[in-house]
Amino acid sequence: MRSTEVDAVSGENEVVELCRDLIRIDTSNPGDDSGPGERVAAEYVAAKLAEVGVESRILESRHKRASVVARIEGTDPGRDALLLHGHLDVVPAEPGDWRVHPFSGEVEDGCVWGRGAVDMKNMDAMILAVMRDRLRSGRRPSRDVVLMFTADEEAGGGLGARWLVENHREHFDGCTEAIGEVGGFSVSLDERRRLYLIETAEKGIAWLKLTATGRAGHGSMINNENAVTELAAAMARIGRYEWPIRMTKTVRTFLDEVSAALGVELDPDDLEATVAKLGPMARLIGATLRNTTNPTMLESGYKVNVVPQTATGHVDGRYLPGYEDEFFKQLDELLGPNVTREFVVHDIALETDFDGPIVQAMTTALLEEDPDGRAVPYCLSGGTDLKSFNALGIRGFGFAPLKLPADLDFSGMFHGIDERIPVESLQFGTRVLDRFLDLA
Ligand SMILES: [Zn+2]
């Protein structure tokens, strides 16, 4: 492209095409390494960075499981580096279930449609658009910015973020703070006012395999050491248990801000009633008031008249930051003496304060673009690549800014069908991120 043409392209104009291109590259991650991998998307990202003079590296943990890293030097070498990250993989999609093909990247009804439009090729595109625009016009950020486009987030990051932390620590040099998914999006309070939820905490993950071992034998005999009975009883206790409400500082600040914004009194003795008043936010917030345990799988036996020796089941457990010990103590009580547990996945909970210059930078950037907005911290009930980056002492936030229409079920589209993102939201986010880099 000639330089005059390059100059005419702003990040805001470009972000939609970048997002569509990324969606059209199928990076489905079924979790067992049988997918197409992220290599093609990584090469696309590297080429887009090269066009504006950024040298990047593509790092493969396994064949085709590629991440991209690049460093953009800031104007102030005395400052710590900022990590901007997004994952390149997406969860699989079944085309028959969708209104448009999930890998078409079509624009319809003012939205870009496709797998990853929400989680999280939107943010990948915004990061690319902002950096390309800034570098084309010579606007370097003041801090060094490290860009990471990671593989394998949807399967826990073992071949992406975690692998990078364990094998390529040098790329994180000087990084003290990170910005990534799932936060910065708006939730409407009414026609005019919006909350922007910035992720400052994540629940921990305890995916568990439970095993009951009993006495095998004929199904016609008396058997009071029946593994199926033991396991079923433990699963029922765990599934029915009502975990008590525990107020983390993130949820406390969130509820204070929301009740101030809505002008409703917050009753600390009846938080669930307060949360129920939050409408579409209730689903998002409900699970961040307590630990949770959901039985999800059961396996045992092979014939109706044979009592098997063992029975196994799986439980998806999530614990709040600061409540891991309580979680396992209570869980072990529910398991009882005859059922053992082992981890399928065990990952940390995270929590950071909603204060300091970087929070100010996010808040200011949002309010400059949406004066009727209000930035609030929130706790994510799931997990992101931040859990891996935390091992390096990096303080992370979910901040992929999006001003969304009030009637869009945004949180329902993560891993859902008909994933789509309004063009205007992408453009808004690109402007906010650009402002943020001036302030951060
Ligand atoms: Zn994601």
Side-chain angles (χ1 to χ4, degrees), residues 87 89 118-120 153-154 181-182 383-384 414-415:
H87 60 83
D89 61 324
V118 163
D119 184 13
M120 66 170 290
E153 193 275 343
E154 296 294 359
E181 64 176 342
V182 180
T384 71
F414 283 80
H415 302 191

Side-chain angles (χ1 to χ4, degrees), residues 26-49:
D26 181 356
T27 53
S28 296
N29 181 1
D32 59 3
D33 222 8
S34 66
E38 299 84 358
R39 178 83 204 189
V40 178
E43 283 172 2
Y44 174 87
V45 168
K48 289 293 166 189
L49 292 172

Side-chain angles (χ1 to χ4, degrees), residues 425-436:
S425 305
L426 282 174
Q427 293 171 332
F428 171 89
T430 306
R431 294 195 301 272
V432 173
L433 274 186
D434 192 34
R435 286 181 185 275
F436 166 75

Side-chain angles (χ1 to χ4, degrees), residues 14 28 48 69 79 128 146 153 179 234 271 275-276 291 297 301 306 310 312 328 351 359 386 401 419 421 423 426 428:
E14 198 178 47
S28 296
K48 289 293 166 189
V69 298
R79 298 193 60 198
L128 274 179
V146 174
E153 193 275 343
I179 297 296
L271 283 169
V275 169
N291 298 327
M297 292 160 72
V306 178
T310 62
T312 60
F328 287 111
E351 186 163 48
V359 168
L386 270 188
E419 207 179 320
I421 190 74
V423 166
L426 282 174
F428 171 89

Side-chain angles (χ1 to χ4, degrees), residues 2 40 68 92 98 109 169 172 181 183 194 212 244 260-261 263 267 273 288 292 378 415 420 435 437:
R2 281 174 294 124
V40 178
V68 185
W98 287 56
D109 304 336
R169 199 166 274 225
F172 295 89
E181 64 176 342
R194 280 162 291 276
D267 180 358
T288 67
T292 58
Y378 91 105
H415 302 191
R420 62 197 182 279
R435 286 181 185 275
L437 285 178

